[in-house]
Amino acid sequence: MSEPAASPFDTDVLIAGGGLAGATLALALSRRLPHRRVTVVEAYPLATDATPDAYQPSYDARSTALAWGSRLIYDDLDLWPQLAGRAMPIRHIHVSDRGRFGATRLAAEEHGQDALGYVVDNRLMGLALMQALAERPQVHWRAPARVMDVTPRPSGVSATLDTNGNSATMTAQCVVVADGGRSGLRERLGFRADTRDYGQHALIANVSTRQPHAGTAYERFTDAGPMALLPRGRPGAAACDSALVWTLNDHDLEQVLAGSDADRLALLQARFGWRQGRFTRIGECSHYPLKLTTVPEAVRPGMVLVGNAAHTLHPVAGQGFNLALRGLMGLVEQFEKADTAGTPLGHLGVLQAYQDEHRRDWQETVRFSDSLIQVFGARSRTLAAARDAGLVGLDLVPGARRWFARRAMGLGRFTRGIGDER
Ligand SMILES: Cc1cc2nc3c(=O)[nH]c(=O)nc-3n(C[C@H](O)[C@H](O)[C@H](O)COP(=O)(O)OP(=O)(O)OC[C@H]3O[C@@H](n4cnc5c(N)ncnc54)[C@H](O)[C@@H]3O)c2cc1C
């Protein structure tokens, strides 16, 4: 049932943060519940074609490995056509342990798919999202502006906004907190977050290799930490560009940052090895501290945390945003049910149903990516032998490989029709 014309609220859903999660949620809501009003508050000026230099942190120089399941979600939101021409298909994933014999290989064709996933530049995803949202009249932006606080009120919430030092309030049925991994709102609102510091940083750079990558993504575990090399470029082209995610401790990060490009390439070659031939170029490097953060109770009346504000994972397994996306679709599904039943969107029962549904997915995904880091990060010889056995086992046992592949492909209940349920 739709909200009556004289709604006591300024907007139906207020999204705090217009990054990958917040903007995708706005798009999904505008398509599934087109009669509902959505307001997105974003701290930075919006990056659009007209403002190519505008900086929004979610849409920086990183690339994201979108799992096959995420592609299906973006297909459903009609965003995939804007991404497809620049999304490099991952045809193979090669997981290996540097210096040891264990390795496993996944191939899309074994699973009857064109690709196990796709690599898309975050900046391109940002532009596609902004363009799609510009055509949705029910979505309003407040940017640059910050949500500073949220207080409950009958059947909804009231949010305090800061726009260039000017304070204003806005009421909504529900506030969705999508302000990222260092979520200031989560802290201000007193949500408990469990955080474990990995004591490492992810160094990100675009690199080139002499050998074309042929659509192969590498996850490589080394004594000094895991690294991933994701194939970039336009589909169909013989591309030699990849996105590097390189985990480093404080000391090694300093060393890499202090060196010249030639020094960095030499260190990278020594760490990664020669599977992809010689590294010939390394672009601008940026780095992020690595933490595992989860929020056991991410809902309250009128408030729900999503995306990195709800769970921040180690990036090497490429699961963080894919998990977020599945959660967003679960939330939209609960909003649709509430809408049909005439229940306020921020009703605790609605948000609790979302949380109960999403909990199993985030717990399993956290366990999967965290166990990769724990087991493969370990230096002990017994564990090293065990992980060789694990990788070889994965390679030899079809059931185990299928399980691993399903996680890598991000399959679940929002991607029915392309495989069995988890
Ligand atoms: C190095 C690296 C590589 C990764 N690779 C992958 C990958 O390959 N695959 C994958 O699935 N995931 C990957 N991830 C995870 C993925 O990047 C995140 O899951 C995703 O960016 C989360 O988006 P978000 O919108 O929740 O948060 P963010 O991207 O942090 O966006 C938050 C937004 O909120 C805004 N904001 C902050 N505070 C406020 C406020 N008070 N009011 C209003 N707006 C506010 C910010 O300006 C920002 O735009 C990677 C992460 C890292 C760090």
Side-chain angles (χ1 to χ4, degrees):
M1 189 187 295
S2 62
E3 185 72 17
S7 165
F9 296 101
D10 298 324
T11 189
D12 292 319
V13 180
L14 191 155
I15 302 173
L20 280 171
T24 300
L25 177 64
L27 182 63
L29 283 172
S30 74
R31 297 192 72 89
R32 294 286 174 78
L33 293 169
H35 54 287
R36 293 291 189 169
R37 299 160 302 158
V38 177
T39 302
V40 189
V41 182
E42 166 53 41
Y44 284 82
L46 300 186
T48 63
D49 278 335
T51 56
D53 295 331
Y55 171 75
Q56 254 189 287
S58 210
Y59 312 128
D60 59 13
R62 275 174 293 168
S63 304
T64 294
L66 283 180
W68 174 261
S70 299
R71 173 240 156 108
L72 295 186
I73 290 173
Y74 275 138
D75 244 342
D76 194 45
L77 298 179
D78 214 14
L79 194 75
W80 187 249
Q82 280 76 267
L83 299 176
R86 300 280 295 277
M88 176 56 80
I90 302 174
R91 310 252 187 237
H92 307 270
I93 299 180
H94 186 278
V95 187
S96 61
D97 201 353
R98 174 148 170 70
R100 310 191 66 82
F101 72 93
T104 195
R105 295 162 192 82
L106 306 176
E109 69 222 22
E110 281 177 51
H111 302 274
Q113 315 285 42
D114 285 347
L116 293 161
Y118 296 83
V119 181
V120 191
D121 289 358
N122 284 24
R123 177 150 184 81
L124 182 80
M125 280 203 277
L127 285 175
L129 281 164
M130 297 302 134
Q131 274 164 10
L133 286 169
E135 290 167 17
R136 312 301 294 174
Q138 58 280 72
V139 177
H140 300 276
W141 284 91
R142 296 275 194 109
R146 281 181 175 276
V147 178
M148 304 305 292
D149 206 358
V150 184
T151 45
R153 53 170 274 166
S155 304
V157 288
S158 167
T160 310
L161 271 50
D162 179 287
T163 313
N164 298 322
N166 298 318
S167 185
T169 58
M170 196 168 188
T171 58
Q173 290 196 21
C174 185
V175 163
V176 180
V177 177
D179 63 344
R182 279 171 288 178
S183 174
L185 270 176
R186 180 182 66 212
E187 207 170 302
R188 222 163 297 140
L189 298 173
F191 282 92
R192 192 189 106 201
D194 296 336
T195 296
R196 179 148 42 85
D197 197 334
Y198 284 112
Q200 287 184 318
H201 307 263
L203 180 128
I204 308 301
N206 292 330
V207 297
S208 305
T209 51
R210 187 151 290 159
Q211 224 169 278
H213 52 59
T216 301
Y218 293 90
E219 289 191 20
R220 204 138 166 71
F221 295 90
T222 77
D223 281 350
M227 59 207 306
L229 203 58
L230 306 173
R232 290 180 69 232
R234 285 178 188 274
C240 297
D241 295 339
S242 299
L244 170 71
V245 184
W246 184 0
T247 20
L248 295 155
N249 62 26
D250 291 343
H251 172 267
D252 291 350
L253 177 71
E254 256 175 57
Q255 190 192 358
V256 171
L257 293 178
S260 64
D261 281 1
D263 297 333
R264 287 175 191 166
L265 285 170
L267 286 168
L268 174 60
Q269 194 81 62
R271 186 69 62 81
F272 183 84
W274 293 88
R275 272 191 194 280
Q276 192 54 55
R278 181 176 289 285
F279 285 95
T280 54
R281 187 191 66 89
I282 184 161
E284 197 179 320
C285 297
S286 51
H287 53 96
Y288 305 80
L290 293 178
K291 293 186 169 108
L292 170 65
T293 301
T294 53
V295 180
E297 295 300 327
V299 300
R300 281 199 202 146
M303 301 176 211
V304 50
L305 309 185
V306 299
N308 268 21
H311 29 59
T312 305
L313 278 58
H314 197 297
V316 90
Q319 298 277 319
F321 183 60
N322 293 300
L323 169 66
L325 209 44
R326 297 194 294 273
L328 297 175
M329 298 317 287
L331 182 59
V332 171
E333 193 173 279
Q334 294 305 330
F335 281 156
E336 281 178 299
K337 286 185 187 164
D339 185 69
T340 308
T343 308
L345 301 185
H347 189 279
L348 184 59
V350 173
L351 303 179
Q352 194 72 52
Y354 152 71
Q355 173 163 272
D356 292 348
E357 187 74 55
H358 184 49
R359 189 185 296 278
R360 183 172 149 206
D361 190 8
W362 74 248
Q363 287 182 338
E364 282 182 2
T365 308
V366 163
R367 246 195 319 273
F368 170 72
S369 57
D370 189 46
S371 60
L372 282 182
I373 308 309
Q374 297 304 333
V375 173
F376 287 95
R379 283 166 191 267
S380 108
R381 290 177 67 176
T382 323
L383 268 178
R387 66 200 195 208
D388 277 354
L391 282 176
V392 172
L394 273 180
D395 223 27
L396 296 180
V397 182
R401 296 182 68 232
R402 199 159 47 242
W403 170 82
F404 191 90
R406 285 185 63 76
R407 293 240 65 98
M409 285 192 276
L411 298 184
R413 55 185 291 275
F414 296 102
T415 51
R416 283 209 173 99
I418 53 166
D420 45 317
E421 284 286 293
R422 268 192 315 265

